[in-house]
Amino acid sequence: MIDQARGMVMVLTPCSSARAWDLLVDVSQHCNVKLRDVAAALVATAKGEALPDRLQRELRRALRRAHAADRR
């Protein structure tokens, strides 16, 4: 499940496997949700389920932090 989520992030963002892992871990830590649960929620979006608002917000924040770090 985690690898599937990582692949989704890599396609959607586009980024490396390591960056996708870091983004998922970042969301997990900031939401205090297990990584496997974050991954399961993201993979479920491929089946039409909505990503919970809390995870959506934190994923956007994680992406902004990652892009800001790239600009430095």
Side-chain angles (χ1 to χ4, degrees):
M1 188 70 59
I2 293 172
D3 285 338
Q4 288 177 329
R6 190 184 330 187
M8 289 175 72
V9 171
M10 290 169 62
V11 168
L12 295 171
T13 303
C15 65
S16 69
S17 178
R19 174 56 61 89
W21 173 265
D22 291 342
L23 288 169
L24 291 171
V25 168
D26 194 17
V27 171
S28 171
Q29 290 176 343
H30 281 89
C31 288
N32 197 27
V33 174
K34 292 199 177 288
L35 180 59
R36 67 176 173 254
D37 296 335
V38 171
L42 187 58
V43 170
T45 64
K47 298 174 185 168
E49 293 185 35
L51 191 62
D53 289 339
R54 188 170 128 196
L55 294 180
Q56 281 184 36
R57 281 191 305 272
E58 196 51 50
L59 183 57
R60 281 193 297 268
R61 289 178 185 142
L63 287 168
R64 281 195 298 268
R65 286 190 294 271
H67 288 302
D70 287 345
R71 287 186 231 143
R72 292 182 199 155

